[in-house]
Amino acid sequence: ETGVTQSPTHLIKTRGQQVTLRCSSQSGHNTVSWYQQALGQGPQFIFQYYREEENGRGNFPPRFSGLQFPNYSSELNVNALELDDSALYLCASSPRTSGFSKETQYFGPGTRLLVL
Amino acid sequence: DQQVKQNSPSLSVQEGRISILNCDYTNSMFDYFLWYKKYPAEGPTFLISISSIKDKNEDGRFTVFLNKSAKHLSLHIVPSQPGDSAVYFCAASAGWSGGSNYKLTFGKGTLLTVNP
């Protein structure tokens, strides 16, 4: 059973460019969440995808968008990159049950994005 | 407005002794709490969690205590080992509203160093 994987591991872009980050969820997990971790900070929730639809969003502008595919993998797209977008982008997957139980999120290693 | 606070940026303990990491929260809607450990160049790894209906949860060397009236939780590691040296994040989630229970709010982390 493979864990959560992310690609690429590192990326350098310039201001104004667009970037796509990818995430493969852990086997059996149907929910994917994306987080941004700036230097010296804890991860901040960007959004979550469940059954290919956005299901909850944090305080991030619309230029942050995403997709989830039928195999539950996901992409994070960021348009019009700004210097402050430089951060570690983490993907987390979890199983979504029909009940009210809390399910743990399992994180990938992250993609480190540097915007120059 | 930081809803989850880890006020100690770092903690240093001797091998074999107890490590106590603290976390405070302000949002009384939080009802599920988690601790994650993070090594450099890796994503956060889930350690232990606790629901608000409990005040203690134990898993091997790790115990989490929750004091709801004080809005405070702590992670105890006994005995501490050099391999425990990492950044520890406290995280919380609030309620259930069609999926947003998966939004985790993180603290800034505490760097634990266990000296041999």
Side-chain angles (χ1 to χ4, degrees):
Chain A
E1 179 181 296
T2 56
V4 178
T5 60
Q6 293 185 243
S7 62
T9 55
H10 296 82
L11 204 51
I12 300 175
K13 292 284 188 177
T14 56
R15 256 188 331 178
Q17 285 189 311
Q18 178 265 344
V19 69
T20 297
L21 310 181
R22 295 178 174 83
C23 171
S24 291
S25 59
Q26 187 167 319
S27 175
H29 289 186
N30 55 16
T31 301
V32 173
S33 302
W34 285 92
Y35 292 81
Q36 180 196 65
Q37 186 181 9
L39 201 60
Q41 304 294 317
Q44 279 202 302
F45 178 74
I46 303 175
F47 42 55
Q48 178 190 89
Y49 277 82
Y50 170 64
R51 288 188 175 176
E52 303 176 52
E53 290 192 2
E54 187 179 293
N55 183 36
R57 188 177 184 93
N59 189 25
F60 281 82
R63 60 189 185 84
F64 285 78
S65 63
L67 284 173
Q68 187 180 31
F69 300 98
N71 66 354
Y72 305 130
S73 66
S74 176
E75 287 182 354
L76 164 65
N77 299 290
V78 187
N79 293 321
L81 283 167
E82 300 177 359
L83 298 180
D84 285 349
D85 295 334
S86 296
L88 179 68
Y89 288 85
L90 295 161
C91 165
S93 73
S94 53
R96 170 90 170 255
T97 63
S98 58
F100 288 84
S101 63
K102 298 285 191 177
E103 297 292 348
T104 299
Q105 296 186 33
Y106 295 90
F107 285 83
T111 293
R112 187 161 296 281
L113 172 65
L114 177 61
V115 182
L116 301 176
Chain B
D1 174 25
Q2 208 177 349
Q3 298 184 59
V4 176
K5 300 178 184 179
Q6 294 177 257
N7 292 320
S8 298
S10 63
L11 175 68
S12 183
V13 301
Q14 285 300 120
E15 180 178 5
R17 306 294 288 269
I18 184 172
S19 296
I20 300 176
L21 296 104
N22 293 303
C23 178
D24 297 295
Y25 61 96
T26 57
N27 188 342
S28 54
M29 297 302 291
F30 286 147
D31 62 357
Y32 189 60
F33 304 89
L34 308 92
W35 285 93
Y36 285 84
K37 176 171 72 173
K38 188 179 185 301
Y39 294 118
E42 294 183 13
T45 302
F46 169 72
L47 268 180
I48 192 168
S49 62
I50 188 167
S51 164
S52 60
I53 62 173
K54 297 185 175 181
D55 54 20
K56 177 182 175 181
N57 188 26
E58 195 171 350
D59 183 2
R61 297 186 297 115
F62 302 93
T63 303
V64 56
F65 294 92
L66 175 62
N67 182 336
K68 283 180 293 185
S69 61
K71 294 190 176 67
H72 177 84
L73 63 155
S74 60
L75 175 68
H76 292 209
I77 306 174
V78 183
S80 301
Q81 300 172 355
D84 296 330
S85 297
V87 176
Y88 288 77
F89 289 101
C90 170
S93 71
W96 170 271
S97 56
S100 64
N101 62 315
Y102 288 113
K103 171 186 173 180
L104 294 178
T105 301
F106 283 83
K108 291 187 176 183
T110 296
L111 173 63
L112 173 66
T113 302
V114 181
N115 301 302

